[in-house]
Amino acid sequence: MSLSARLSAIDARIADAARLAGRDPAGITRIVVTKFHPAALVHELHALGVLDVGENRQQELTAKRAEAALDGLRWHFIGQAQTNKAAAIRRSADAVHSVDRVKLADALHRAADDDDALDVLVQVNLTDDAGRGGIAPADVERLAEHVLTLPSLRLRGVMGVAPLDQDPAPAFERLHGIAAAVRALEPDATWISAGMTGDFAEAIAAGATHLRIGSAITGPRPDRG
């Protein structure tokens, strides 16, 4: 299938899942993750009407944004972030989905060099593995409250990744409840970033507003070697 055909097929499946959940597909943002693909692919996606792209690694985000500074394109950083790379991430990202600790929030705040607020989401660990990315559910509100004290950050909501090899629906339902608690602190924090190629239908059913979809649209990732 061509890039255009893959994009259309995924968008049709998103629309079907939204209607099944009684939701308007227009309320769901599809982020195309271009990990390991060249900036040329971002240009192709933009020509097809894609306005939201995501990157997992700071180096790729920085390089691709420089090569694909395209009108209306929004760059989402969705990977685990090191505090020493916060300034570089902030310079290139329009939204950071993976704020999972106070030190990272503080580093992103210190990196502000203008009056524009950076959209951020609190990443929640939906697994029993403390080594996975994200803050423990019990600590989400504490982190959200801290983010709200940092004027250069705009709290948009929460992000989560479903556990591997398990039914994703219960995890996304938990995330939905956590998102409601965050909205009680900040009514404008309406984003729920959840769902990838294999589980976006379940994420949509649980209220996801932003989906992170990669190879189902972009095709197989190139060999980095």
Side-chain angles (χ1 to χ4, degrees), residues 154-167:
R154 182 187 295 112
L155 182 62
R156 283 298 199 179
V158 297
M159 185 267 258
V161 179
L164 299 174
D165 304 320
Q166 295 182 28
D167 178 3

Side-chain angles (χ1 to χ4, degrees), residues 2-193:
S2 67
L3 178 63
S4 176
R6 291 193 299 269
L7 182 66
S8 296
I10 287 293
D11 283 348
R13 289 174 57 195
I14 291 171
D16 288 345
R19 285 189 287 268
L20 189 62
R23 298 180 58 195
D24 182 354
I28 298 170
T29 298
R30 175 253 299 125
I31 300 168
V32 182
V33 181
T34 59
K35 181 178 181 180
F36 301 147
H37 287 277
L41 181 71
V42 179
H43 283 269
E44 292 180 54
L45 288 164
H46 186 262
L48 293 171
V50 170
L51 292 178
D52 293 270
V53 294
E55 287 296 333
N56 292 73
R57 299 167 67 247
Q58 174 266 316
Q59 295 93 330
E60 277 198 86
L61 171 69
T62 298
K64 285 183 191 171
R65 178 142 197 174
E67 293 183 58
L70 302 166
D71 287 346
L73 193 63
R74 292 180 291 268
W75 293 84
H76 300 255
F77 184 78
I78 60 176
Q80 297 310 116
Q82 298 174 341
T83 54
N84 64 354
K85 294 184 178 179
I89 291 170
R90 175 148 198 162
R91 283 192 295 270
S92 298
D94 297 299
V96 176
H97 291 229
S98 50
V99 175
D100 61 357
R101 58 199 186 279
V102 165
K103 285 185 177 180
L104 177 57
D106 288 346
L108 289 167
H109 171 61
R110 287 195 302 270
D113 60 4
D114 55 34
D115 294 329
D116 292 335
L118 174 68
D119 289 336
V120 300
L121 295 89
V122 171
Q123 182 177 357
V124 184
N125 186 348
L126 298 174
T127 77
D128 295 325
D129 180 0
R132 291 287 297 275
I135 193 168
D139 296 323
V140 168
E141 290 177 63
R142 174 184 58 82
L143 179 55
E145 288 171 343
H146 182 77
V147 170
L148 290 170
T149 70
L150 304 175
S152 80
L153 304 184
R154 182 187 295 112
L155 182 62
R156 283 298 199 179
V158 297
M159 185 267 258
V161 179
L164 299 174
D165 304 320
Q166 295 182 28
D167 178 3
F172 290 146
E173 284 298 330
R174 292 198 303 276
L175 187 65
H176 179 84
I178 293 166
V182 171
R183 284 198 305 276
L185 299 172
E186 172 49 77
D188 291 334
T190 57
W191 294 14
I192 301 177
S193 172

Side-chain angles (χ1 to χ4, degrees), residues 187-208:
D188 291 334
T190 57
W191 294 14
I192 301 177
S193 172
M196 298 183 288
T197 298
D199 57 19
F200 67 74
E202 291 87 349
I204 289 170

